[in-house]
Amino acid sequence: MRLLVIEDERKAGEYLKKGLEESGFTVDIASNGIDGLHLALEEDYALVVLDVMLPGMDGWAVLKKLRTKKDTPVLLLTAMDELEERVKGLELGGDDYMVKPFAFVELLARIRTLLRRGPPRDIEHVHVGDLELDAVRRRVRRAGQRVELTPREFSLLQLLARRRGEVLSRTQIASYVWDMNFDSDTNVVEVAIRRLRAKIDDGHAVKLIHTVRGMGYVLDDELEDH
């Protein structure tokens, strides 16, 4: 499998490249955010290891721009073990998060876990009221109008649509959409739901995404928030 490491520290980049290649991967290296983003968009990688602190364009900006085009798994590396940093990485579309310094064996285990995570078998088309979701083309329409979603928003909507009428807890949503455990007092799920709801429900009389207080969220065309 081909991986991309975006790391500005030369020794760290060489260390990661050597270790990953010895573990059976093909590895490309970029030493700044601009070059890294270009490679990530133009080439097909199984996974990107992305340092947050980069010259030219920081890791947050790289991740944000990458997520408008691709859903390539991204493992973030940062020197700061702050709750706000972890939440920011999740909200921007990161798949996992490691704090420097770290043991290479743990990094390797995290990478292999992300790569083993195959996409669930999709129901090609889902209809909920006037909402249409095309899993193959990754397109969404509401009342016949195209709705532009980020890859993470699409995954969230797809989960809710495939389990229409079922109340999903914050933990269930976070586990499927982000595949990460994080502190229960973070609001990453609420933020994601709010953004998705604005795109799916705003301007429509019938609301599809509902909050079931104390329980979670559900997609249905016959419910009201309660």
Side-chain angles (χ1 to χ4, degrees):
M1 289 186 176
R2 191 179 179 196
L3 309 183
L4 172 64
V5 174
I6 308 176
E7 168 63 71
D8 66 311
E9 296 180 13
R10 184 177 60 83
K11 289 185 178 180
E14 292 175 351
Y15 170 74
L16 290 175
K17 180 178 175 66
K18 182 175 183 293
L20 290 170
E21 287 181 341
E22 289 176 349
S23 301
F25 297 102
T26 299
V27 181
D28 291 340
I29 295 283
S31 59
N32 62 73
I34 295 172
D35 290 343
L37 177 62
H38 175 75
L39 285 172
L41 290 175
E42 295 299 320
E43 305 293 336
D44 290 323
Y45 293 102
L47 180 140
V48 176
V49 178
L50 175 62
D51 188 25
V52 171
M53 302 300 292
L54 293 169
M57 176 186 293
D58 67 23
W60 303 130
V62 171
L63 179 58
K64 186 175 181 180
K65 289 181 179 295
L66 177 62
R67 281 293 174 257
T68 64
K69 301 290 185 180
K70 288 190 173 184
D71 226 358
T72 309
V74 174
L75 173 61
L76 292 163
L77 304 179
T78 178
M80 296 174 287
D81 187 17
E82 298 291 336
L83 178 60
E84 292 78 10
E85 295 288 304
R86 283 181 280 152
V87 172
K88 184 175 182 178
L90 288 168
E91 290 180 345
L92 289 175
D95 295 276
D96 206 346
Y97 189 101
M98 290 195 70
V99 178
K100 297 179 177 180
F102 52 80
F104 178 78
V105 65
E106 182 182 0
L107 174 76
L108 185 60
R110 298 278 191 96
I111 288 174
R112 286 175 170 162
T113 296
L114 289 173
L115 293 175
R116 281 198 302 268
R117 191 202 313 168
R121 179 171 294 179
D122 292 332
I123 300 172
E124 291 189 2
H125 294 86
V126 180
H127 295 264
V128 181
D130 59 357
L131 176 73
E132 305 171 47
L133 185 148
D134 184 336
V136 176
R137 296 180 176 82
R138 298 184 71 81
R139 293 178 180 174
V140 175
R141 292 183 182 276
R142 179 83 200 265
Q145 298 298 310
R146 179 81 174 267
V147 180
E148 297 294 340
L149 300 179
T150 66
R152 193 68 61 178
E153 289 167 347
F154 184 89
S155 295
L156 175 55
L157 179 63
Q158 186 177 33
L159 172 65
L160 293 170
R162 284 168 49 205
R163 299 174 68 171
R164 171 185 177 174
E166 179 181 348
V167 179
L168 300 176
S169 69
R170 294 167 69 251
T171 301
Q172 287 175 301
I173 293 171
S175 176
Y176 176 86
V177 178
W178 287 273
D179 194 28
M180 285 185 68
N181 295 317
F182 51 86
D183 296 344
S184 60
D185 60 348
T186 63
N187 66 345
V188 62
V189 174
E190 286 86 345
V191 170
I193 288 285
R194 184 165 63 247
R195 291 175 177 169
L196 181 62
R197 182 179 272 153
K199 293 184 177 182
I200 296 298
D201 282 341
D202 282 6
H204 297 276
V206 176
K207 308 303 180 185
L208 298 179
I209 301 174
H210 306 280
T211 301
V212 181
R213 293 188 179 88
M215 297 179 65
Y217 304 94
V218 60
L219 182 75
D220 205 303
D221 58 343
E222 299 178 355
L223 292 178
E224 294 295 335
D225 286 1
H226 59 282

